[in-house]
Amino acid sequence: MQYKAMVISNQEVSSGYYRLRMTAPKELAEAKPGQFVMVRVNNSIDPLLRRPFGIFDVGSFVPEYADVGRQTYLEILYKVVGKGTAMLAALHHGDHLDMLAPLGKGFAPGDAGEEKILVGGGVGLAPLYYLAKELVKNSRVHLFVGGRSREDVLCITEFERLGVETYVATDDGTLGERGLVTEVLEKQLQQGATAKTIFACGPYPMLRAVAAIAGRTRIPCQVSLEAYMACGVGACLGCVMKGRNHTEATPDYRCVCKDGPVFDYQELQWD
Amino acid sequence: MKPDMSVEIAGIKLRNPVMTASGTFGYGKEFADYMDLEKIGAIITKGLSLRPKAGNPTPRIVETPGGMLNAIGLQNVGIEAFIAEKAPFLRTINTPVIANLYGNTLEEYGELARRLDKVQEVAAVEVNISCPNVKQGGIVFGTDPRAAAEVVAMVREATIKPVIVKLSPNVTDIVVMANACAEAGADALSLINTLTGMAIDLQKRRPVLANVTGGLSGPAIKPVALRMVWQVARAVKLPIIGIGGIMTANDALEFLLAGATAVQIGTANFLDPAAAQTIAMEMERYLADNGIADVKELIGALRY
Ligand SMILES: Cc1cc2nc3c(=O)[nH]c(=O)nc-3n(C[C@H](O)[C@H](O)[C@H](O)COP(=O)(O)OP(=O)(O)OC[C@H]3O[C@@H](n4cnc5c(N)ncnc54)[C@H](O)[C@@H]3O)c2cc1C
Ligand SMILES: Cc1cc2nc3c(=O)[nH]c(=O)nc-3n(C[C@H](O)[C@H](O)[C@H](O)COP(=O)(O)O)c2cc1C
Ligand code: FES
């Protein structure tokens, strides 16, 4: 749906990373982990297009500023990388944003009781928090999180507060193990860690490595992808990824916005 | 008094002059959750080819100042799947549907028009001539007046439905193209398609789009589009559909003044999925506020 959101808070949680909480219509309480939002950063034509972000959290609160009863909120966790995100970082309580949400297909949570592994790289962690909140209700959850440096490893305490067991890897070794998060994951799996599903979100090379691990260990795996988007609703065909059986003669393109952003890794062609 | 917003293009009655542009509105259904499809003049579908088409590799789109480049490569489900899977939904909507089509050869254009001729829910065809003729080594139908005229004559012969020809702005003189299409039997002209452009990633020293070049759309192209609509309207008798960077009702009304009978909304649908409906509504409000009884009074009413 399309709606106007009011910014409740917009905090820098680590250098260059922000957590933006905004009001949402009550329908958003039904949003599924892995779904995303398209934010219109302002009402001008600069920047022109909406910006896509994963849903970091959805919940409800009783606002102090108005007598409206319980109010639904939605949060995104974002990294400032360019013009649009820099403009978002400048927003304050009371500012308004035009939103499209919830969009796309989310994660399939799988069966209750099974162990789950989450793998997040950098800000790719964002949709995994909302997912973890759901999964911890009836599963043991392990989170493998990677980043360039310690500032790029976000919200670990929030995950731990949910009871998620976390493993951290950084490229420069400033937090957790030095190296790639996928190396840590592979090591843990070799040492007997088990899981019935892997959920991953992060940069494409990380996802490709996770998909390879899933292939070797035969653990079912869902990945959440990013792509340049214009419409977010499956109309422009700008955001496509090659499906597993795609060839020039028998095209099989999937829209990240509509068929994804979450895919079974086996649905896709990895290059 | 409610102003009269209706216009007529090549015998098709439109409740208002606002249509959605091909390739920016999917097959209509994608927007049904966000707007009332019965509050706009017409829906133009994504460009259809004879067989399903894969389109270009990614990245296919990139934002540019005041616009965007796209190189989708005309990915579409193909005419058969359109008729079987997309047309049934469109049948349920009381708004004219115009099928945009393109071929790689003259014969393909003819074949497409013939198949669409029997499809009841299609009110008219819009012929996209901005694609390369594979048979003639990739010369673009839309930049060669003789080739364009042949396409139009071919389509004209193949269908009794109104034929709208969509002109490319990537030509030296758009009036020459417009005249050629008019003489070959077009019932209406729509313009403009995207302007060829390019974006470069300085750090990587690479083109941003996998296809290297793409089509520029959005507010950045509006002045070019207005100029071309104005030029063509003065030179050709056919009704004109103005396209290019329309974001607001005011933009749309400017196109009418320049000589367009109707307009198409493209890139604006991405910023706001209800854009077409909002623009139609606000055009009506403008007329009411300014005591204009009939939107047709504004067509070509530019003062000098
Ligand atoms: C489904 C999905 C979920 C996402 N979730 C998050 C999230 O939770 N947190 C977060 O920080 N980022 C997320 N991203 C990436 C985020 O959309 C981009 O970082 C953002 O659009 C950059 O905008 P900008 O104007 O600051 O950057 P600029 O580089 O100035 O943007 C220029 C253009 O490129 C596009 N673009 C640039 N980087 C990306 C990218 N990585 N993915 C897609 N489009 C891009 C922009 O949307 C814009 O159209 C997600 C992307 C997708 C597709
Ligand atoms: C993503 C995208 C896809 C398009 N696909 C088509 C198409 O299939 N056929 C066509 O005739 N025009 C196509 N166009 C061109 C538009 O219909 C329109 O002519 C152009 O975008 C200019 O209008 P705008 O500035 O309002 O977007 C496409 C444009 C965009 C942005
Ligand atoms: S962003 Fe337009 S189809 Fe996915």
Side-chain angles (χ1 to χ4, degrees), chain B residues 2-295:
Chain B
K2 246 176 119 58
D4 182 353
M5 292 296 290
S6 69
V7 295
E8 198 175 308
I9 296 261
I12 316 164
K13 288 197 171 45
L14 308 178
R15 62 171 68 85
N16 62 51
V18 180
M19 315 176 170
T20 54
S22 177
T24 65
F25 207 65
Y27 300 96
K29 194 173 181 179
E30 292 84 347
F31 289 79
D33 288 345
Y34 298 98
M35 62 174 279
D36 183 348
L37 297 171
E38 298 186 351
K39 290 283 195 308
I40 57 175
I43 295 170
I44 306 195
T45 62
K46 174 73 193 162
L48 293 167
S49 52
L50 265 187
R51 276 165 290 282
K53 192 158 187 282
N56 288 326
T58 55
R60 291 175 166 187
I61 50 175
V62 58
E63 191 182 69
T64 58
M68 63 178 280
L69 288 166
N70 89 80
I72 305 301
L74 297 161
Q75 179 184 341
N76 78 99
V77 297
I79 183 93
E80 292 308 325
F82 170 75
I83 294 169
E85 294 157 27
K86 308 291 180 185
F89 167 78
L90 293 167
R91 194 179 307 146
T92 65
I93 286 157
N94 180 25
T95 294
V97 173
I98 298 171
N100 180 284
L101 55 87
Y102 78 94
N104 289 314
T105 61
L106 258 184
E107 296 71 29
E108 281 186 21
Y109 277 105
E111 182 59 26
L112 279 161
R114 237 182 322 281
R115 298 223 198 154
L116 285 167
D117 193 48
K118 300 178 200 81
V119 182
Q120 244 183 23
E121 39 286 293
V122 171
V125 296
E126 180 181 60
V127 188
N128 177 4
I129 54 173
S130 323
C131 22
N133 179 349
V134 288
K135 262 201 190 161
Q136 285 185 25
I139 85 141
V140 180
F141 288 113
T143 57
D144 178 43
R146 208 163 331 133
E150 282 179 49
V151 170
V152 176
M154 185 70 126
V155 171
R156 174 72 291 160
E157 195 138 295
T159 179
I160 57 161
K161 292 190 198 289
V163 176
I164 302 165
V165 182
K166 183 163 176 179
L167 302 180
S168 162
N170 304 309
V171 294
T172 315
D173 187 351
I174 195 151
V175 172
V176 172
M177 298 301 302
N179 275 321
C181 295
E183 278 160 31
D187 298 303
L189 301 174
S190 55
L191 61 146
I192 56 176
N193 211 317
T194 52
L195 281 156
T196 308
M198 179 170 178
I200 290 176
D201 184 324
L202 176 62
Q203 281 314 315
K204 296 186 189 151
R205 298 196 182 184
R206 282 165 154 283
V208 177
L209 297 174
N211 189 53
V212 183
T213 62
L216 182 65
S217 66
I221 71 168
K222 193 187 105 181
V224 178
L226 267 179
R227 183 264 293 178
M228 289 188 161
V229 165
W230 174 76
Q231 278 184 310
V232 171
R234 292 181 5 140
V236 180
K237 288 253 150 23
L238 299 179
I240 289 166
I241 306 168
I243 322 166
I246 300 175
M247 298 281 131
T248 63
N250 286 6
D251 292 338
L253 292 162
E254 290 170 19
F255 273 86
L256 296 200
L257 290 181
T261 299
V263 294
Q264 293 179 16
I265 312 301
T267 303
N269 297 312
F270 304 154
L271 282 63
D272 176 1
Q277 180 180 352
T278 306
I279 289 170
M281 225 166 61
E282 289 183 354
M283 284 171 80
E284 183 171 333
R285 183 173 320 147
Y286 175 92
L287 265 64
D289 288 351
N290 289 276
I292 303 164
D294 189 335
V295 72

Side-chain angles (χ1 to χ4, degrees), chain A residues 198-221:
Chain A
I198 299 174
F199 303 90
C201 185
Y204 189 82
M206 183 203 96
L207 295 179
R208 189 174 45 204
V210 173
I213 293 172
R216 284 197 291 277
T217 56
R218 303 194 175 277
I219 301 174
C221 171

